[in-house]
Amino acid sequence: MSRELPYSDAQLEALGLARDRLARHIAIIMDGNGRWAQQRGMPRIEGHRRGVNSVRAVVEECSRLGLEQLTLYCFSSENWKRPKLELSLLMSLLRRYLVEERKRINEQGLRFRVIGRTDELDPAIQKEIRITEESAAENDGMMLCLAVNYGSRMEITDAVRAIAEKVQQGEIHPDEISEQTVASHLMTSGMPDPDLLIRTANQLRISNYLLWQISYSEIWITDCFWPDFREEQLHQALKDFAARDRRFGGLNPSSDQAASNSS
Ligand code: IPE
Ligand code: IPE
Ligand code: MG
């Protein structure tokens, strides 16, 4: 398989999408694997296994759409509360994904990064993460970011600690701490904030995901379980996103009030 070409404007239009209304960065809470399996009388892990097919399809489609970044919530710092067997199967799936997808990641020219406390993962997984990150280091395509053993409160707490240490060392003065200082001490330093946050399986919560970064993300929730999520649902999310009126606290430039303000 060679690198797939990004969609042309005409192809985007045929999908009901327009380049200038696309999200730059999509973050996804991939949820509902367990329920998908339970509904079919299968063990939960079967849902996780099928979920990998959705990951593959969505990564490739986001790359074709020309997204700058896709960030997938793979395992939260709270997911350690799950039964031991589910944890070990989840970890072996992650390891397999890293080994098996490395080639496709490079064929598609994707950049690759993992955010989260990777040092707490099995050394064999840490090694596969390192190899994948290194093998993709020269790529210039979409950034595929996996959140593994990731928790937003822990990330913010670590950032506060790192900034406090710099203050103590006299490297920065408290008055100089800006939003940019905080952002640059998060694991997502250098990455754009998500424009669109998708959560599958109809849960109306954030579950400790990218709390700082999603301040102004548009949220799209579907009842589709993650193993059933494909290009079709992604396109729907992007179509809905394109119709949203993003104001960032201001007014829509085309609104009457905005027009009268600026005249
Ligand atoms: C999401 O699916 C995957 C992970 C959290 C690892 P779940 O396992 O949470 O599926 P449900 O929510 O129990 O259906
Ligand atoms: C969030 O899903 C974490 C991932 C998708 C990896 P959960 O299934 O763990 O979230 P809660 O527990 O329902 O909030
Ligand atoms: Mg869940």
Side-chain angles (χ1 to χ4, degrees):
M1 197 185 115
S2 59
R3 183 167 178 169
E4 294 200 47
L5 290 173
Y7 286 137
S8 65
D9 288 351
Q11 284 171 312
L12 284 177
E13 200 185 324
L15 295 170
L17 300 168
R19 197 172 304 284
D20 62 347
R21 299 292 294 172
L22 280 179
R24 209 174 138 202
H25 177 184
I26 299 181
I28 307 185
I29 303 175
M30 309 184 288
D31 199 15
N33 294 350
R35 276 164 284 166
W36 181 93
Q38 273 159 351
Q39 272 190 354
R40 288 160 178 77
M42 297 171 174
R44 293 176 52 83
I45 187 67
E46 194 51 35
H48 298 312
R49 210 171 272 141
R50 301 294 181 99
V52 177
N53 297 334
S54 308
V55 170
R56 204 170 284 133
V58 168
V59 168
E60 289 184 6
E61 187 63 5
C62 285
S63 168
R64 276 191 293 266
L65 285 162
L67 247 70
E68 189 171 322
Q69 180 161 340
L70 172 68
T71 303
L72 300 175
Y73 207 2
C74 302
F75 188 86
S76 78
S77 48
E78 286 72 35
N79 284 145
W80 296 110
K81 294 173 190 162
R82 304 228 174 164
K84 270 207 164 68
L85 179 63
E86 181 169 344
L87 288 174
S88 75
L89 290 167
L90 271 171
M91 289 301 150
S92 70
L93 266 184
L94 173 63
R95 181 155 178 258
R96 254 186 45 202
Y97 175 82
L98 291 164
V99 173
E100 288 174 7
E101 293 307 295
R102 195 172 294 141
K103 194 159 164 264
R104 290 163 89 95
I105 286 172
N106 283 307
E107 279 169 350
Q108 291 170 72
L110 303 183
R111 292 172 292 148
F112 181 81
R113 238 172 89 183
V114 175
I115 53 169
R117 285 217 174 126
T118 49
D119 58 340
E120 292 173 357
L121 300 172
D122 185 297
I125 295 181
Q126 293 186 43
K127 184 177 146 214
E128 300 305 339
I129 291 174
R130 226 175 12 250
I131 296 174
T132 311
E133 283 181 338
E134 282 167 11
S135 74
E138 303 294 318
N139 294 345
D140 61 0
M142 181 184 80
M143 166 68 82
L144 171 61
C145 175
L146 304 185
V148 181
N149 194 19
Y150 173 86
S152 201
R153 286 188 167 188
M154 153 193 99
E155 176 191 38
I156 293 169
T157 306
D158 286 352
V160 170
R161 190 178 303 116
I163 295 168
E165 273 166 17
K166 288 188 183 169
V167 169
Q168 198 178 33
Q169 301 298 319
E171 284 174 44
I172 31 177
H173 190 274
D175 291 344
E176 292 164 3
I177 299 172
S178 63
E179 290 188 7
Q180 191 42 47
T181 315
V182 178
S184 69
H185 285 80
L186 298 175
M187 291 165 174
T188 52
S189 171
M191 297 175 173
D193 286 340
D195 301 296
L196 174 61
L197 172 70
I198 295 176
R199 182 164 191 152
T200 59
N202 212 20
Q203 302 296 326
L204 307 185
R205 55 177 175 260
I206 302 299
S207 302
N208 206 11
Y209 194 40
L210 302 172
L211 297 179
W212 172 280
Q213 298 86 342
I214 59 164
S215 296
Y216 266 104
S217 304
E218 295 296 325
I219 300 177
W220 192 82
I221 292 170
T222 172
D223 54 11
C224 176
F225 292 140
W226 179 250
D228 289 329
F229 193 96
R230 285 293 183 281
E231 291 86 340
E232 184 192 339
Q233 288 77 15
L234 181 68
H235 296 158
Q236 192 55 52
L238 282 166
K239 274 186 236 175
D240 290 354
F241 172 81
R244 300 271 180 99
D245 180 15
R246 298 187 84 189
R247 300 184 200 169
F248 301 97
L251 297 175
N252 183 330
S254 64
S255 76
D256 291 347
Q257 290 122 306
S260 67
N261 273 354
S262 62
S263 64

